[in-house]
Amino acid sequence: ALGAPAAPSDEDLGWLGTVASWIEVPASDGPVLLDPAMRADEAFKRVLHRQVDVMRLNEEGTRKALDPEFLHDFRVAVRRTRAALSKAKDVLPTPRVESAKRAFRWLGDVTSPRRDLDVHVLNCPTYEAALPASTRPHLAPLQAHLEDRQAAVQKPLVRALGSARYRRLLASWQAFLEQPGAERTRLRLAARPALEVANRLIARQHRRLLERGSRIDDHSPAERLHRVRLDGKKLRYLLEFFRSLYDAKAIQAHVKALKRLQDCLGDFNDYEVQQGALQEAAREMVEEQEAPPETLVAVGQLVESLAARQQRERERFLEVFGTFAADVNRARACELFGRKAEPRP
């Protein structure tokens, strides 16, 4: 079982009560409302501003480590920001986009260690359940090690979120997002209708996913499956960014079809990451002389179990991808986003 979290202080409870009463909280749920005819740069700024709102909403809970979901939601907003920036060519000014890419890459890097350990600690009950009952107690030293590391990496995260660099980043980025677009611009897509640009971006990403996924076979290296996973994630973000521009039922059906593929590829990746994390934790425990032999044996059994699960997801990929690439889904994509959503001949 997981160690019991520290009870929130009165200050924490008061802060949570304040958050619950904020009018802005509901605005962080649901799609960003866009008009098909609005300028593409304005649409991008609205999408990106939503991510700033989510970061600010989860910032204090992340600093105080009140619940892993605060950091999770914070990082999702960072990832979505980076995904949107990767698609902002010819829509937003290049110098500003490149600067923001570097800044949010830093923010992703400084929040990653704590989130990784949160996930591994949360997985401890699952790890126990995967072992025989007689072996489960031997995982206690592993969980204690992970929780110690979890507390240690929180300190640099708190420093980063309290730094002048972080404050400048969000303040300057928010100020840019709140500026209206220039009436005259040399950016090729900035003043084009949002729906036109959304169709262009989603169709291209959809085509890329179909083309790369169709090239995967039983002998493809794991790196190629990871690239397809990232393609699917980018497509999912684009669908989320611009979903208010499309028929709600049709876009929901397409997201549902994509989600099954994402789940397969996400599990494949998670099992690989967990194997590496367990092996790294075991090495650290050996170096720190806190690894009983029984714990190392249990970790080895877990790694073998995770490798077997990863292999099952790999074997399932071709069937799951085939379902996503079925005629009905491809026809829906073409109807929603245009013929360029189809793979090239």
Side-chain angles (χ1 to χ4, degrees):
L2 294 176
S9 66
D10 291 342
E11 179 187 353
D12 294 338
L13 291 172
W15 177 79
L16 285 170
T18 301
V19 168
S21 69
W22 283 352
I23 296 174
E24 291 82 2
V25 172
S28 68
D29 298 324
V32 179
L33 298 181
L34 305 173
D35 186 288
M38 72 191 306
R39 286 171 53 130
D41 55 0
E42 182 184 349
F44 262 78
K45 286 184 174 183
R46 286 195 187 184
V47 166
L48 287 162
H49 203 296
R50 167 68 63 82
Q51 310 319 314
V52 174
D53 292 341
V54 173
M55 284 180 237
R56 291 195 183 280
L57 184 61
N58 289 280
E59 181 183 291
E60 192 71 6
T62 295
R63 270 205 291 259
K64 293 178 180 291
L66 297 178
D67 187 287
E69 285 303 304
F70 285 106
L71 176 56
H72 168 69
D73 290 349
F74 186 96
R75 281 180 52 78
V76 168
V78 172
R79 286 202 306 270
R80 286 174 173 163
T81 295
R82 296 177 66 185
L85 289 170
S86 73
K87 302 298 182 182
K89 183 180 179 182
D90 296 324
V91 177
L92 299 177
T94 300
R96 174 60 78 167
V97 168
E98 293 304 315
S99 173
K101 283 181 180 179
R102 292 190 295 271
F104 285 101
R105 186 185 308 121
W106 165 76
L107 194 52
D109 290 344
V110 298
T111 55
S112 179
R114 172 68 199 222
R115 178 57 189 170
D116 290 346
L117 283 158
D118 283 353
V119 171
H120 299 317
V121 170
L122 289 169
N123 276 332
C124 283
T126 305
Y127 294 155
E128 289 180 357
L131 295 173
S134 59
T135 307
R136 293 171 188 171
H138 301 318
L139 284 184
L142 170 68
Q143 180 164 342
H145 174 79
L146 292 173
E147 289 173 346
D148 287 344
R149 294 286 302 129
Q150 190 182 34
V153 300
Q154 178 68 12
K155 295 175 182 177
L157 171 58
V158 170
R159 285 197 299 271
L161 294 187
S163 67
R165 179 179 182 179
Y166 173 72
R167 291 194 300 272
R168 286 195 302 268
L169 163 59
L170 280 200
S172 64
W173 183 236
Q174 185 167 339
F176 165 71
L177 296 178
E178 292 173 356
Q179 292 174 357
E183 214 171 296
R184 294 187 177 183
T185 175
R186 294 184 178 180
L187 293 168
R188 186 165 53 90
L189 302 177
R192 301 300 304 165
L195 180 60
E196 175 190 320
V197 175
N199 282 342
R200 177 192 184 96
L201 294 174
I202 295 173
R204 182 183 298 168
Q205 190 63 42
H206 194 276
R207 181 179 69 231
R208 182 177 298 154
L209 175 59
L210 289 177
E211 289 176 348
R212 287 184 174 172
S214 67
R215 293 196 286 266
I216 299 292
D217 59 30
D218 292 336
H219 307 291
S220 299
E223 291 75 13
R224 288 181 61 184
L225 276 87
H226 292 318
R227 283 199 292 271
V228 174
R229 178 181 64 86
L230 293 175
D231 285 335
K233 181 177 286 190
K234 291 175 182 177
L235 176 59
R236 177 71 174 273
Y237 285 151
L238 286 171
L239 294 174
E240 290 175 352
F241 294 158
F242 300 115
R243 68 183 303 159
S244 67
L245 298 175
Y246 301 96
D247 177 78
K249 288 185 178 179
I251 205 73
Q252 181 59 33
H254 211 67
V255 168
K256 185 177 180 180
L258 175 60
K259 186 177 183 301
R260 187 165 178 245
L261 175 61
Q262 283 191 285
D263 288 345
C264 173
L265 289 168
D267 287 345
F268 178 85
N269 181 68
D270 288 347
Y271 292 141
E272 182 170 298
V273 170
Q274 289 174 42
Q275 290 173 68
L278 288 170
Q279 291 167 336
E280 177 64 21
R283 281 193 292 270
E284 291 172 349
M285 293 173 71
V286 168
E287 291 173 0
E288 296 166 14
Q289 298 183 339
E290 55 178 36
E294 298 86 356
T295 297
L296 296 179
V297 170
V299 170
Q301 292 174 339
L302 274 177
V303 170
E304 290 178 3
S305 172
L306 290 166
R309 295 183 189 186
Q310 185 184 18
Q311 180 59 30
R312 286 196 292 272
E313 292 303 322
R314 182 191 184 92
E315 292 167 356
R316 202 164 69 92
F317 169 80
L318 292 179
E319 179 262 324
V320 174
F321 180 79
T323 300
F324 175 73
D327 290 345
V328 61
N329 291 327
R330 290 167 65 161
R332 186 195 306 113
C334 290
E335 183 178 346
L336 285 168
F337 318 120
R339 298 299 305 176
K340 290 186 178 179
E342 275 281 88
R344 287 165 288 202

